[in-house]
Amino acid sequence: MNHTHTEEIIGIRNLTMRFEDHIALNNMNLSIGKGEIFCLLGQNGAGKTTTINILLGFLKPTSGEVVIGRSEDDPRGFDSRKSVAYIPEVVQLYGNMTGMENLDFFSRLAGFRYDATKLAGFLVKAGLQVEAHEKRMSAYSKGMRQKVGIGIALAKGARIILMDEPTSGLDPKASSDFIRICKDLAKEGCTILMATHDIFNAVNVGNRIGIMKEGTLVHTIETSRISATELEKLYLETI
């Protein structure tokens, strides 16, 4: 997919973030198109999570701006807060409630009410096997919790999903499930920005990859033009 022709859904312009004397982001520019999966690679402290926190509105940048969800078919843009979902490394859900109950609860918090069939549909689409829907969350693996997180994003009608280290701690089967689900969402026009350490998964899931170092986006690469081995070499040379 060539991102240059698709409409911009996430725009980051001259973004700088200072914490006292530390520069967490240094004049970062990035444009992510509709239906694109963009992976941000970098070590801890490179600025990946800071970028996500600014996009979520948790942090106010020192200078620069972010534009979220201004789409051509709706020039006013959509309500960016409502259309953005966040999947952290550990999805925070209620262990004493089932997957279905968690989905129902968080959907209602976001102002949506669905019947059981609709709720189950979101979980199935997120890849959660039916027999787990009525099990308590405390019995779920990390991969299963993430699927409920994706189900919540779907129920909220999210058009942008921001993810922080989503594949860390997943076994190979759960990782490959997760990659397939992300690709399916992107095909339907969902835009995904993923901060990760995982070079192999980044090459498999992303359309493009950005390598960050000390708050600067040093490289942006189309995954169709690089192998995992080449990316690893470039990454190690960069950091």
Side-chain angles (χ1 to χ4, degrees):
M1 187 186 74
N2 191 338
H3 63 275
T4 48
H5 299 301
T6 137
E7 64 194 79
E8 178 181 86
I9 292 292
I10 298 175
I12 293 175
R13 320 246 196 276
N14 307 324
L15 199 61
T16 297
M17 183 78 211
R18 284 195 196 85
F19 297 104
E20 289 169 4
D21 55 354
H22 171 63
I23 297 178
L25 287 179
N26 188 2
N27 203 31
M28 180 178 175
N29 286 283
L30 177 62
S31 175
I32 302 174
K34 183 177 181 177
E36 185 173 13
I37 301 177
F38 192 97
C39 297
L40 270 183
L41 278 176
Q43 291 185 297
N44 284 338
K48 305 186 306 289
T49 302
T50 304
T51 304
I52 284 180
N53 283 335
I54 290 172
L55 287 168
L56 286 166
F58 295 162
L59 285 175
K60 194 170 169 15
T62 310
S63 59
E65 63 162 354
V66 295
V67 180
I68 287 187
R70 198 172 287 159
S71 122
E72 284 160 9
D73 48 23
D74 180 7
R76 293 161 311 171
F78 38 81
D79 181 340
S80 55
R81 270 195 321 274
K82 282 207 178 83
S83 55
V84 176
Y86 174 49
I87 298 185
E89 187 172 348
V90 178
V91 178
Q92 297 299 326
L93 298 160
Y94 292 103
N96 60 339
M97 284 163 42
T98 67
M100 281 279 273
E101 287 167 343
N102 270 284
L103 179 57
D104 184 40
F105 176 76
F106 286 104
S107 303
R108 284 169 187 262
L109 265 189
F112 297 93
R113 284 169 182 268
Y114 297 106
D115 61 27
T117 315
K118 263 278 175 50
L119 290 168
F122 291 127
L123 290 177
V124 167
K125 194 170 173 185
L128 188 69
Q129 59 274 39
V130 175
E131 54 274 22
H133 292 190
E134 298 297 348
K135 285 195 175 131
R136 282 182 179 221
M137 215 68 208
S138 50
Y140 279 30
S141 66
K142 181 182 172 187
M144 289 163 77
R145 294 173 75 91
Q146 271 182 333
K147 287 171 182 174
V148 177
I150 290 171
I152 293 167
L154 294 171
K156 285 171 61 179
R159 293 162 69 167
I160 297 166
I161 304 182
L162 305 175
M163 303 179 174
D164 207 352
E165 298 295 346
T167 54
S168 77
L170 294 187
D171 64 46
K173 162 95 175 70
S175 271
S176 102
D177 268 2
F178 181 77
I179 286 172
R180 195 194 68 247
I181 292 155
C182 288
K183 286 182 167 172
D184 287 347
L185 292 173
K187 274 194 198 106
E188 292 179 13
C190 196
T191 302
I192 296 173
L193 173 64
M194 186 184 295
T196 182
H197 284 103
D198 191 327
I199 290 170
F200 181 73
N201 278 330
V203 169
N204 281 327
V205 72
N207 302 100
R208 284 188 301 152
I209 289 171
I211 301 179
M212 292 193 77
K213 181 187 182 178
E214 292 167 1
T216 303
L217 192 58
V218 185
H219 296 287
T220 306
I221 309 119
E222 301 210 8
T223 48
S224 57
R225 300 193 178 160
I226 197 164
S227 69
T229 315
E230 291 165 336
L231 178 64
E232 185 173 36
K233 187 168 177 279
L234 180 65
Y235 179 70
L236 293 173
E237 285 166 4
T238 304
I239 60 169

